Amino acid sequence: MLTTDGPESGPLEVIDRLPASNRRISIFGLGYVGAVSLACLARDGHRVVGVDIDPVKLDLIRARKSPILEEGIQELMRDVVGSGRVRVTQDAAQALRDTEISFVCVGTPSAANGSQDLTALLRLAEQLGAALRTKREFHTIVVRSTVMPGTLESKVEPILEKFSGKRSGVDFGLAFQPEFLREGSSIRDYDHPPYTIVGGNCERAVEAVRDVFRHLECRFLVTGIRVAEALKMSCNAFHALKITFANEIGRIAQSLDIDSHEVMRLVCADTRLNISPAYLKPGFAFGGSCLPKDLRALAQIARQNDVDVPMLSSLLASNRAHVDHAVEMILQLGRPRVGMLGLSFKTGTDDLRESPLVMVAKRLIGEGCELRIFDPEVQLSRLLGANRSYIDANIPHLGSLLCPDLASMVEPSEVILVGLQQPALDAGLQSRVRPDQYVIDLVNLPNRDLLNCRYQGICW
Ligand SMILES: NC(=O)c1ccc[n+]([C@@H]2O[C@H](COP(=O)([O-])OP(=O)(O)OC[C@H]3O[C@@H](n4cnc5c(N)ncnc54)[C@H](O)[C@@H]3O)[C@@H](O)[C@H]2O)c1
């Protein structure tokens, strides 16, 4: 039974929302994430036990005060603790036994070498595992701390199983549900997440989370545990990338006496190519007649104006690393007869200037590969001007490598690098590749399960 060692009496204010359900919930770690979760879950009608190793935080909550400073949290904490629905304790085992679902919100700070310090999480996993051993009912543990992908399955789950003597996904549930709140607007963010996303080891774990958050007006998405972990990590990296981008553009604009806010406002006003899923799919390197040269010029003008823009200046190096990765994947196979589907910098053009596929071809030729290339858009006789000069400088004997059709490229090749995606070519590839051939996919081919070959994706 849930007991209460928080204040039993006091002004019980009307909490103006209907309970989504009335669950018994424990929260481990009462920092920014845990304290907000505790207050909001209690506000939503649940009975909540908060656990922390810091007695000061527990005393503050018992005194109806928030251990963190956030807009609205003091009032909310006062109300929910006053309601009697909140209890706090240092006894992790008892908290788990008294509840049906546990949210783990302990810190995962940086270790000295930059890795995540999982000490708190793993120690807690031992305690939770030991407490599960004597619990008869099914219990769900939901990790909300940000962890590197694979942490739950490779570290937390084995500890829980070892200390409980129970089977994960059968006797207890384990889920990862990333938290999207931002300090400063955490209650609002808690109530209005972009979506609720959960990866769980069993249906019951996922349903337990759905039940607690079903009142939120957002999509409820279910995915794998490792995807959910990677999603949170990617979101934080993306936020950092966006801030850095805006700041570097801002500094360059400032050095040119241009209104940086106006520039970024207009960048964001393009919701087709800029603030959109465009260019946000894992695939191959960028190239063509615009991005590389303009990035070079931007880095140059920044240097000239003494503006340090490490991120913008590193984009071409990162792009080259991606090309190197493709070349390495091919060379590692030790099969010198390589076919390339596609040569131009993207599907639907014959522009070869700064095409990353041209760079791959050049490198492979240098490594002694026997290359065959088929690109339906590229015909040597039609290449003119700068396009022709570029290819003459990089692959002067391109004419002898170009195949007239897909079959003559595929048939003799041991490895096929797919850098072009068209439905007719996909079908042609499916009907022609053999089990002894490798296909390295740069374009995320649809229906790749239908390829009867040894398949590898460039970054999937
Ligand atoms: N702060 C944010 O805005 C935010 C947002 C999303 C996700 N996250 C992630 O959530 C996690 C928690 O972040 P935070 O900012 O709330 O951390 P925090 O450092 O403010 O709080 C962590 C709490 O865990 C407690 N704790 C440590 N070991 C414990 C144990 N064994 N049992 C019980 N409690 C224990 C600590 O005493 C502390 O109060 C981190 O992984 C963080 O990356 C944070």
Side-chain angles (χ1 to χ4, degrees), residues 28-34 51-54 57 68 92 105-109 116 120-121 123-124 127 144-147 179-183 232 236:
F28 296 86
L30 299 174
Y32 283 87
V33 171
V51 184
D52 204 291
I53 50 171
D54 183 348
K57 289 190 176 174
I68 57 157
C105 310
V106 296
T108 48
Q116 264 190 340
L121 178 64
R123 193 164 295 156
L124 182 62
Q127 288 178 295
R144 307 213 68 191
S145 305
T146 303
V147 292
E179 172 57 66
F180 296 110
L181 63 78
R182 294 164 296 176
E183 288 175 27
K232 177 63 193 174
N236 280 352

Side-chain angles (χ1 to χ4, degrees), residues 2-15:
L2 187 76
T3 53
T4 310
D5 58 11
E8 296 281 330
S9 58
L12 195 121
E13 299 215 354
V14 178
I15 292 162

